[in-house]
Structure formats: structure tokens, C-alpha cells
Amino acid sequence: HAPSLGLADISEPEVSLAASAEQNQKAEPTEFFRSSRRRSYAYHYQGSHETVTHKSAADIFMEKLQGAMIGFFLFIIGFPVLWFNEQRQAKMEILYARAARIARTDVSSAKVDPQYERCLVHMQGETTTSEQLQEQILGADIKVRNCAHLRSCTEMLQWSETCKEEEKDDNYGGKETIRRYSYSQEWMANAVDSDSFNDRNYQNPMPPCELGFRTKTANRVAFGEFTLPEALVSRLSTWKTCTSESTIDRSRPQLDEMGGSIAQLNLMGDHLVTGSGNDVGDLRIVFEKVLCGPATVLAVQSGGSFEPMGQAADISADGKVIRASGLQEPLNPGSQNVGIDFDSDAGSFSCCKACGLVGAVMESNESLFEIKEAHESAKGMLESAASAQNCCHLIGKYGGWLMMVIGLNLIFNPFPALFRFIPFVGTYMEHFVGWLTGAVAFLLGSTLASLTVAVAWLYARPAKSIQYFVVALGLISGIYYLAGTYGESA
């Protein structure tokens, strides 16, 4: 145990490198910071590094207070997340129902038919492009045709640090945290700063070129006689490795971006690798492409292209999709003295701004704009879109619920932490009271989440709203039962 080693206290913080360890033997601890409130020691093992940090009861209580402030923010943000998430789900269900009624199915992509202008169309066809996409990295060159995207990924073999923590309570309300750092070699698409490692014996070299992904996209991708908009082209994502199609110029030495010499690239499996591929600093490159081919589109025909069907769009008597009306911007306001530079959110409360931001994020892309890289029926396309939306809805629902429960738990945490100031039994009392506050946070957070969801559905689908009101009522009963049971015990 580090404090029993008799190291002298120092009045000022001191930082020093830890002594190296003998093979398979623990070294003497190096004290890199020690004060009356916090003490830290570092140990070295073969291939690993360990630090021991001690916190007093006062330190832990202050951390709980800081966590309570974060919890308050999470708790407040959980309400708009749940509200706008349910509003979005209700709007999307209405949108899919309208789309099922007005969609023109099996429309030919071989010609732009004016009778389907502004109609929601289901088309099957082939994507094509006449462009050639090219990429060159460290002497490796690749050219592909009839591809919507060409992507390269450059990685470097680097040291990576992993930390595992273990906490132990002492008899005086304090806590000892043991952090064990281990190091391993991993292929990384970003440069890892080894100067931040706890053990400086593991060093990563500077990358000889830019690491990461680089993507090139065809300027025009055709779909029969139509041109796919950029938003649909970006959704083409069936990647296939094409590294073997690249060529390497071996007539000249390979140079990095700084003009330095590097090892020659060699094809190993699906990658081009420098050196043996087993040494820190080695590079590997992979090329991938998205081939044009069979595709299905479900969108609004607009001229020789497509646009999304928004949930706020109007439908004419003959099934045409009309863009949602709104305020029109003044013509060429830059050259005319028209309009006032006014921020409608100026002077509003910051919480309202945060809720508005959450609403903007949750309500984005409320439209039907689908493409699939295969021939699919109209029903299959609509079911696929609805399935993806249901998945997003579940993530938003459970995310908002967790924000409220975790936020309340963080808000309650300072109360059980007060028991740490009681010697010997304080930590046990904290764990017991913490379990109680955690249960209350779960029940109260779940209740408020259910009420928020119920109110959000009250207008769109009252029957569904009643289900959540019943769940909230059951949770409230659980809170009263829990309070009565432990009240009698007390």
C-alpha cells in the first residue's frame, strides 16, 4: 500500500518520471503529486504502468456537486428530446400514410414523363456515370470508372494506451483509485499523440502523410434519363475493396509529403503496406469504390431529377405534391434597402434556445426521400423507410428517458456522499442511501418520461397517449409504495 512506504510529504506539487521496473518485478513508487488532500503514486511493470490516486471525502463530495450540475442539464434536456422525438414519430406516420395513398408505382426511368411531374414516384433502373475517379497516395495510383464514389483509407501502426480503473474505499470516507495502463500496437486512421501517455517509453513517430479517409464523388450520377441529386448520391454506400486495381510506380523512390524517403508499398491482402506491416510507423492503404448498378428510387419527380416529399407538403386533388408555403424572402435584399437585421431569438432565455436547438435537430429530415441499391417494390421501399424511422424513434425515446433518469441520479448523488464524513461506517451508509436515491431517480425519471410522451401523443393519437398515462400511474404507485415501506422501516 503506497502510503505505508514512508515517503516524506512535500509542501509543493512535484512532477517526475517514474523509475523503470525490473523484468516482472514491481518498481519502487514514484510520487509525482502529493498534498494533504490528494496523493498519487506511479508504478511501472513490464509492458504496463500503474498509478494510485487518493481522494478525501471532501474531494468526492465536491465531485458529486459538479456532477449534480451536469445532471440538472441532462434532466432538463431530456424533456425536449422526448417531446420532439414523439412529435417527429407522429408526423412521419402521417407522412407514410399519405405517401402510400398517392405514390405512382413502377414508373419507368427510361424517360422523363411530364404527367408524373410533382408526383411521388417509385422507379427502378440503373445508375451510371461517365466520369473517371482517380486517387494517388504515396506513389499508389488508382483509376475507376462507372463508380459513384472512390474512397481511400490510410492508417499507421501505432502504440495505443488502454486504461482500466479500480476503486477502493478507505475507513475515513476517502477513496483510492488504481489506474492500470497497458499498451498495444493498433492500426489507426488518426495520429495518436504518445506525449500524453503515462509511460513515455512508448513513442509514436510522426505520420509521413495525412492519415484518415478521403472520398471522391462523381459530379453527375444518372438514373436512367434522370440525374440523381447529391443527397441521394451520398446514400449510395455499397463499398467494395478495389486495392488490387491500383498501380505502384517503382521507377522512383517513394517520398512522403515532406520529401523524406519511405519504404516501398507492397500488396498484402486487401492493403498496400510499407515495410513488414509489423513495426510501429508502418503504413497501410486500402481503396474502396461504390459501383453503379441496379437501384430503386422513391421520391418526388422534379424535372429531370428528384426532391424529397416533406411532411408539411400539401397534396393537390390529383395527387401532386405541392411545396409547403411559407414567408417569401425579399428579392435581392443585398442591393435593396429591404428588411431589418433582426434576431428573433435575441433576448430569449438560454434554456429556450437549448430546447429550440434540440427541436431543430430532432425535426430535421422529416421527409420521404429514399434510394436502395437494388430493385425493390414500392411496398418494400416504404416499409424500409418506416423501419429506419422506428429505429431512430426508439433511440430517441430511450435516449431521452436515460437523460432524465441519469440526470436525476446525478442530482441526488451529493446527499448520500455526505455520509462519507462518518468514519468506518460512512461508506456503507452511502452505498445504501445511494441505492435508495437511485431507485427514486429511476421511478421518478420514468414517470416524468411517460407523462411527457403521453402528452406529446395526446393530440395525434389519444389511444396511444392513454397507454403511457397508465404506465405513469403505475410508476407513481411504485414511488408511494417505496416511500411508505422505507418510511415505516425508519
Side-chain angles (χ1 to χ4, degrees), residues 37-58:
R37 294 180 63 190
R38 287 177 184 265
R39 291 173 295 179
S40 298
Y41 303 87
Y43 301 91
H44 279 279
Y45 302 88
Q46 184 180 15
S48 66
H49 181 209
E50 178 181 297
T51 62
V52 181
T53 305
H54 182 269
K55 299 176 185 177
S56 67

Side-chain angles (χ1 to χ4, degrees), residues 54-76:
H54 182 269
K55 299 176 185 177
S56 67
D59 294 327
I60 296 172
F61 181 72
M62 292 304 298
E63 289 182 354
K64 298 295 184 182
L65 285 179
Q66 295 172 2
M69 292 186 286
I70 297 174
F72 179 77
F73 175 78
L74 285 176
F75 174 68
I76 295 299

Side-chain angles (χ1 to χ4, degrees), residues 102-138:
I102 67 171
R104 269 64 165 179
T105 61
D106 299 322
V107 177
S108 174
S109 61
K111 66 175 183 177
V112 180
D113 195 335
Q115 70 171 320
Y116 296 116
E117 182 68 13
R118 304 302 310 165
C119 290
L120 180 67
V121 295
H122 161 257
M123 288 185 183
Q124 297 181 358
E126 299 282 329
T127 58
T128 58
T129 182
S130 59
E131 298 177 35
Q132 175 181 271
L133 301 179
Q134 181 178 357
E135 181 65 284
Q136 185 175 17
I137 302 177
L138 297 178

Side-chain angles (χ1 to χ4, degrees), residues 78-282:
F79 284 98
V81 168
L82 286 172
W83 176 270
F84 289 111
N85 182 61
E86 300 305 318
Q87 290 285 300
R88 175 189 174 89
Q89 180 68 9
K91 293 175 184 177
M92 295 302 290
E93 288 182 3
I94 295 173
L95 173 63
Y96 296 143
R98 296 170 70 195
R101 291 196 303 268
I102 67 171
R104 269 64 165 179
T105 61
D106 299 322
V107 177
S108 174
S109 61
K111 66 175 183 177
V112 180
D113 195 335
Q115 70 171 320
Y116 296 116
E117 182 68 13
R118 304 302 310 165
C119 290
L120 180 67
V121 295
H122 161 257
M123 288 185 183
Q124 297 181 358
E126 299 282 329
T127 58
T128 58
T129 182
S130 59
E131 298 177 35
Q132 175 181 271
L133 301 179
Q134 181 178 357
E135 181 65 284
Q136 185 175 17
I137 302 177
L138 297 178
D141 185 73
I142 187 169
K143 300 175 183 179
V144 295
R145 291 187 176 276
N146 199 33
C147 292
H149 306 290
L150 174 63
R151 180 174 70 184
S152 65
C153 179
T154 305
E155 299 173 300
M156 185 171 77
L157 190 62
Q158 304 174 75
W159 286 111
S160 175
E161 181 182 70
T162 304
C163 176
K164 293 184 178 180
E165 290 190 0
E166 178 184 352
E167 294 183 341
K168 297 179 180 179
D169 294 319
D170 61 26
N171 293 328
Y172 299 95
K175 182 181 292 185
E176 188 178 76
T177 303
I178 303 173
R179 295 181 178 89
R180 294 183 176 89
Y181 299 89
S182 59
Y183 301 87
S184 59
Q185 296 180 9
E186 296 182 18
W187 289 102
M188 298 282 191
N190 59 289
V192 177
D193 183 14
S194 56
D195 290 339
S196 63
F197 288 172
N198 275 269
D199 191 341
R200 301 294 180 85
N201 292 321
Y202 299 92
Q203 291 292 315
N204 290 323
M206 288 292 294
C209 65
E210 181 182 357
L211 303 180
F213 290 90
R214 295 197 297 192
T215 304
K216 293 190 175 181
T217 301
N219 293 321
R220 182 182 183 275
V221 177
F223 180 67
E225 290 298 313
F226 293 83
T227 298
L228 290 180
E230 183 180 349
L232 288 184
V233 174
S234 64
R235 298 189 188 185
L236 301 175
S237 56
T238 303
W239 296 96
K240 294 185 178 180
T241 304
C242 57
T243 311
S244 58
E245 300 177 26
S246 62
T247 58
I248 303 174
D249 186 2
R250 302 187 183 277
S251 61
R252 56 182 181 179
Q254 301 298 315
L255 302 177
D256 59 24
E257 294 179 349
M258 304 300 293
S261 177
I262 62 173
Q264 286 282 351
L265 290 167
N266 295 291
L267 183 63
M268 296 183 182
D270 292 333
H271 296 83
L272 295 172
V273 183
T274 63
S276 64
N278 297 317
D279 299 323
V280 171
D282 286 348

